[in-house]
């Protein structure tokens, strides 16, 4: 799912004045007229005897005579002036005017609101992907017993149905209570040129239809307390909830089950999260949460702290500590029959690991220069590492930065990314950086071929060199079910891109990224192939985003990307240029 986001926010800097008990606001008067009660002891004045003030400026009907006088709720102001829906009453299907289904009016009491959210996400994606085959599975004469036909096509339709029921007038403060449910209904169709790429059983053919209903959000949120007059607060949230450990989705971006304590201080300059999560099993083909399966034995403890406007105004700095404890030491097969845990590589033995990520992130601008950056150090240990089968210490690093400069309607971007690779798969150190679950927004993101596509490695799709919607050369079994693998080749990226805001509705983006493996020792052992070059190749992409209403309610994305192989990619997959075409339509109510 992809959409261009043009969003901004301004922090609240003032409070609502306290009401005067001797005055009657419009919301409190029983009469429909705008009558104001006299102050005690004030003489009665005959309006007929009042002399007109020649210097008085006529007031509009919605203006107040005295700013200290309390006013009605916003919805009753509009009702009284006949400004809602052009005076034709409320229409449930209209999200642009006053609508009780979009939390514009309370549905119960004075401060219980309901907001319904409907999203349609349609994806059509022809592509080419290097497709490993076995001699028993190819139906194409002349195909090698290593690689077969690589043309594929994907169609995916997802409907998101969400409901939020909350208490509180949230213009000035967070809600007192919030209850949220989001269901995702997905249908997907995939066609491949080779059997046994989609299923472990080649008799099931080279195409697949599948559908699934996932629970993406199901939580309750309680506002614990306000700690300042400006509504700095502490809240707690329990249930299935979205969480992103950093600004760009480099480390952990998921919808797990968990408990999260969060809040802010000092007029929202400081923000914090303290959380425990346990990951849910995913549906193999849609990637949605599968609540019919037991929770994974994969725990995450995270603490992060944000500081806005530091070190300069307009830049936010974040520090993160994330601990991942994994005890998935039994065999697990996905819905298509492939072995997902443990990794079907090396000794193929169950393993567990404990790893702590120490990170610093930043996002914002220094004057006219926009900057987003992240740095992580991964430290820990794992039992029975992938190739040696021995206990191993985890020591890995990651750095990414994207710098942008605006020239009127043009933004030029420069991207750098490095994830360390493992130098020796048989020693007692695992040096390849692996995320918990990544979804990176950098260097073109999902419009890039390398980030968008999953590139299989060996064994008919059993192991992936890189996962879908991931930038790391993670060498894992799958995005949905796999464990983090710290014995991987790592990656380096250097790119340049341009965003052109041709109109408020149309944006065009282009990206050119050069890619290299950080270290190829793991690849050479896994493929039993010597002297694999580091050069992955050149990733070139162009994308157009169209918002016909200049809002996020309708977003159409079209992109084309190509990976021009370098020497390292050619050694693994041949010299064919790989392509990806994406058409994505998102409709939001």
């Amino acid at each position: 799912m992809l959409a261009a986001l043009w969003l901004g926010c301004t922090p609240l800097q003032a409070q609502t004045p306290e009401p005067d008990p001797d005055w009657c606001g419009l919301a409190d008067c029983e009469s429909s007229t705008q009558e104001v009660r006299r102050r005690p002891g004030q003489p009665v004045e005959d309006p007929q005897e009042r002399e007109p003030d020649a210097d008085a400026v006529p007031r509009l009907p919605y203006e107040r005579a005295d700013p200290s006088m309390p006013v009605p709720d916003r919805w009753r102001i509009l009702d009284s002036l006949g400004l809602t829906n052009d005076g034709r009453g409320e229409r449930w299907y209209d999200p642009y005017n006053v609508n009780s289904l979009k939390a514009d009016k309370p549905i119960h009491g004075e401060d219980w609101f309901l907001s319904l959210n409907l999203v349609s996400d349609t994806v059509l994606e022809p592509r080419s992907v290097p497709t490993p085959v076995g001699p028993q599975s190819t139906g194409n004469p002349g195909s090698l017993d290593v690689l077969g036909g690589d043309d594929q096509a994907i169609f995916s339709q997802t409907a998101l149905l969400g409901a939020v029921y909350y208490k509180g007038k949230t213009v000035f403060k967070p809600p007192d209570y919030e209850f949220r449910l989001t269901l995702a209904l997905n249908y997907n169709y995939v066609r491949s040129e080779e059997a046994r790429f989609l299923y472990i059983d080649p008799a099931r053919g080279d195409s697949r239809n599948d559908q699934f209903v996932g629970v993406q959000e199901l939580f309750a949120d309680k506002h614990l307390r306000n700690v300042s007059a400006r509504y700095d607060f502490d809240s707690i949230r329990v249930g299935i909830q979205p969480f992103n450990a950093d600004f760009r989705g480099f480390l952990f971006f998921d919808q797990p089950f968990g408990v999260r304590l969060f809040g802010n201080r000092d007029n929202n300059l400081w923000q914090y999260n303290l959380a425990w999560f346990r990951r849910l099993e995913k549906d193999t083909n849609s990637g949605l949460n599968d609540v019919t399966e037991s929770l994974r034995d994969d725990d995450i403890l995270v603490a992060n702290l944000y500081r806005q406007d530091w070190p300069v105004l307009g830049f936010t700095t974040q520090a993160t500590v994330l601990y991942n404890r994994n005890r998935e030491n039994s065999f697990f097969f996905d819905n298509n029959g492939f072995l997902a845990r443990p990794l079907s590589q090396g000794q193929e033995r169950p393993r567990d690991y404990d790893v702590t990520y120490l990170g610093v992130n930043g996002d914002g601008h220094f004057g006219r220069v926009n900057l987003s950056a992240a740095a992580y150090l991964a430290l820990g240990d794992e039992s029975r590492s992938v190739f040696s089968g021995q206990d191993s210490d985890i020591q890995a690093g990651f750095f990414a930065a994207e710098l942008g400069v605006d020239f009127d309607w043009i933004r030029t971007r420069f991207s750098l990314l490095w994830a360390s690779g493992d130098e020796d798969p048989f020693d007692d150190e695992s040096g390849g950086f692996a995320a918990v679950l990544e979804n990176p927004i950098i260097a073109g993101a999902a419009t890039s071929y390398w980030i968008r596509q999953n590139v299989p490695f060996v064994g008919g799709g059993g192991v992936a060199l890189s996962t879908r919607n991931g930038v790391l050369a993670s060498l894992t079994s799958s995005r949905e079910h796999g464990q983090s693998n710290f014995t991987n080749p790592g990656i380096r990226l250097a790119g340049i891109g341009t965003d052109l805001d041709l109109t408020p509705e149309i944006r065009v983006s282009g990206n050119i990224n050069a890619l290299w493996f950080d270290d190829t020792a793991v690849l050479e052992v896994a493929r039993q192939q010597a002297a694999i070059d580091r050069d992955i190749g050149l990733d070139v992409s162009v994308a157009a985003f169209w918002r016909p209403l200049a809002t996020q309610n309708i977003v159409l994305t079209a992109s084309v990307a190509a990976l021009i192989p370098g020497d390292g990619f050619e050694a693994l997959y041949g010299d064919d240029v790989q392509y990806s075409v994406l058409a994505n339509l998102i409709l939001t109510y």
Side-chain angles (χ1 to χ4, degrees):
M1 185 169 69
L2 177 65
L5 300 178
W6 290 268
L7 300 176
C9 60
T10 301
L12 181 67
Q13 297 295 333
Q15 289 181 261
T16 304
E18 293 293 331
D20 187 335
D22 293 324
W23 289 82
C24 170
L26 299 182
D28 302 318
C29 294
E30 296 182 359
S31 170
S32 60
T33 62
Q34 298 185 12
E35 178 183 3
V36 178
R37 189 182 305 163
R38 292 179 294 111
R39 291 185 181 273
Q42 181 179 353
V44 177
E45 180 181 6
D46 186 351
Q48 301 297 326
E49 298 179 0
R50 185 183 305 156
E51 294 184 4
D53 185 354
D55 297 327
V57 179
R59 288 199 311 272
L60 296 174
Y62 51 82
E63 289 185 317
R64 290 181 288 158
D66 185 348
S68 67
M69 185 178 69
V71 299
D73 296 317
R74 64 186 185 278
W75 50 88
R76 280 179 280 212
I77 294 177
L78 296 176
D79 287 344
S80 66
L81 297 175
L83 298 179
T84 57
N85 298 314
D86 300 324
R88 290 178 290 176
E90 187 176 329
R91 297 189 293 270
W92 66 268
Y93 55 86
D94 182 359
Y96 294 99
N97 286 292
V98 174
N99 189 329
S100 297
L101 300 181
K102 301 298 292 181
D104 294 324
K105 288 184 176 182
I107 65 167
H108 177 67
E110 292 189 357
D111 56 358
W112 281 97
F113 296 85
L114 175 67
S115 178
L116 298 183
N117 304 298
L118 306 176
V119 178
S120 171
D121 186 357
T122 306
V123 173
L124 180 61
E125 189 174 358
R127 65 177 187 173
S128 66
V129 174
T131 307
V133 299
Q136 80 282 10
S137 65
T138 181
N140 299 322
S143 291
L144 299 176
D145 62 351
V146 176
L147 296 172
D150 55 8
D151 287 334
Q152 300 176 12
I154 297 174
F155 173 79
S156 177
Q157 173 63 53
T158 303
L160 295 169
L161 312 176
V164 185
Y165 183 51
Y166 66 91
K167 174 182 172 61
K169 300 174 182 178
T170 58
V171 175
F172 299 101
K173 62 179 183 179
D176 297 319
Y177 298 92
E178 180 180 347
F179 305 93
R180 186 184 293 261
L181 170 66
T182 300
L183 301 178
L185 293 74
N186 175 265
Y187 166 80
N188 59 83
Y189 169 80
V190 182
R191 176 187 55 78
S192 172
E193 287 193 272
E194 299 293 345
R196 205 180 175 274
F197 179 75
L198 302 175
Y199 297 104
I200 192 68
D201 181 4
R204 300 189 64 175
D206 56 8
S207 64
R208 182 182 66 216
N209 286 279
D210 194 26
Q211 52 279 323
F212 189 77
V213 178
V215 180
Q216 300 305 99
E217 292 179 308
L218 179 61
F219 66 76
D221 188 314
K222 173 68 171 68
H223 181 72
L224 299 177
R225 60 173 182 164
N226 294 320
V227 296
S228 75
R230 294 183 181 271
Y231 295 113
D232 292 321
F233 69 93
D234 295 312
S235 288
I236 190 168
R237 180 173 294 179
V238 181
I240 301 172
Q241 54 190 285
F243 186 79
N244 189 0
D246 53 50
F247 298 106
R248 295 294 188 101
F250 292 125
L251 182 61
F252 179 57
F253 183 91
D254 199 7
Q255 300 85 31
F257 173 83
V259 179
R260 179 162 70 101
L261 178 68
F262 61 99
N264 60 0
R265 292 294 188 274
D266 196 15
N267 199 27
N268 202 37
L269 286 178
W270 295 91
Q271 302 163 22
Y272 74 91
N273 286 285
L274 296 171
W276 163 80
F277 297 112
R278 174 157 283 205
R279 295 175 64 186
L280 284 87
E281 206 69 76
K282 304 288 186 181
D283 174 64
T284 302
N285 298 323
S286 67
L288 301 175
N289 285 339
D290 187 352
V291 296
T292 65
E293 295 283 347
S294 300
L295 293 175
R296 296 180 59 171
D297 197 355
D298 191 48
D299 294 301
I300 294 162
L301 296 173
V302 60
N304 58 27
L305 182 66
Y306 298 79
R307 178 58 164 90
Q308 293 196 64
D309 296 332
W310 190 85
V312 299
L313 187 69
F315 192 84
T316 300
T317 302
Q318 180 218 46
T320 295
V321 178
L322 187 148
Y323 167 66
N324 185 198
R325 172 190 177 274
N326 185 283
R327 294 296 182 270
E328 296 175 306
N329 49 18
S330 60
F331 286 83
F332 179 87
F333 294 85
D334 68 21
N335 296 344
N336 300 322
F338 294 103
L339 179 62
R341 298 192 297 267
L343 179 68
S344 182
Q345 196 170 79
Q347 295 203 0
E348 201 173 281
R349 297 175 60 185
R351 64 189 182 95
D352 52 51
Y353 51 86
D354 296 87
V355 58
T356 299
Y357 297 89
L358 307 176
V360 178
N361 300 277
D363 188 78
H365 66 90
F366 292 80
R368 64 181 297 177
V369 177
N370 302 283
L371 176 65
S372 186
Y376 286 104
L377 178 64
L379 301 172
D381 57 79
E382 62 177 336
S383 67
R384 298 179 295 276
S385 69
V386 174
F387 288 94
S388 71
Q390 304 298 316
D391 292 349
S392 179
D393 293 329
I394 298 169
Q395 299 181 15
F398 173 90
F399 173 79
E402 188 162 78
L403 184 148
V405 182
D406 293 330
F407 304 93
D408 196 5
W409 51 278
I410 300 173
R411 171 174 290 188
T412 300
R413 293 176 284 102
F414 303 92
S415 304
L416 290 173
L417 184 144
W418 166 78
S420 64
D422 191 49
E423 298 178 352
D424 184 354
F426 295 107
D427 64 8
D428 60 355
E429 290 186 3
S430 300
F433 184 86
V436 181
L437 183 64
E438 59 169 331
N439 190 11
I441 307 298
I442 192 172
T447 63
S448 152
Y449 180 91
W450 177 262
I451 295 177
R452 176 69 178 179
Q453 303 305 331
N454 56 311
V455 179
F457 186 57
V458 293
V463 176
L465 175 62
S466 65
T467 62
R468 189 171 178 85
N469 295 326
V471 69
L472 301 176
S474 52
L475 210 64
T476 188
S477 59
S478 75
R479 173 184 172 83
E480 289 73 28
H481 307 292
Q483 294 174 291
S484 299
N485 177 21
F486 301 93
T487 309
N488 67 63
I491 195 167
R492 302 174 186 177
L493 179 150
I496 184 171
T498 301
D499 300 329
L500 308 176
D501 288 329
L502 303 181
T503 71
E505 298 85 12
I506 299 175
R507 171 178 289 180
V508 175
S509 295
N511 294 275
I512 301 176
N513 302 317
L515 297 156
W516 303 268
F517 296 116
D518 187 58
D519 196 297
T520 60
V522 174
L523 300 178
E524 293 168 0
V525 170
R527 280 290 293 263
Q528 295 295 297
Q529 182 175 343
I532 297 177
D533 195 84
R534 291 184 176 184
D535 186 13
I536 297 174
L538 205 61
D539 187 338
V540 182
S541 64
V542 61
F545 308 90
W546 180 43
R547 305 181 305 156
L549 303 179
T551 68
Q552 298 301 110
N553 295 82
I554 303 176
V555 180
L556 176 63
T557 302
S559 67
V560 179
L563 180 64
I564 304 170
D567 291 341
F569 197 89
E570 285 187 15
L572 296 171
Y573 303 107
D575 58 1
D576 290 343
V577 174
Q578 305 296 328
Y579 72 90
S580 173
V581 178
L582 174 67
N584 180 211
L585 175 63
I586 297 178
L587 307 175
T588 304
Y589 168 77

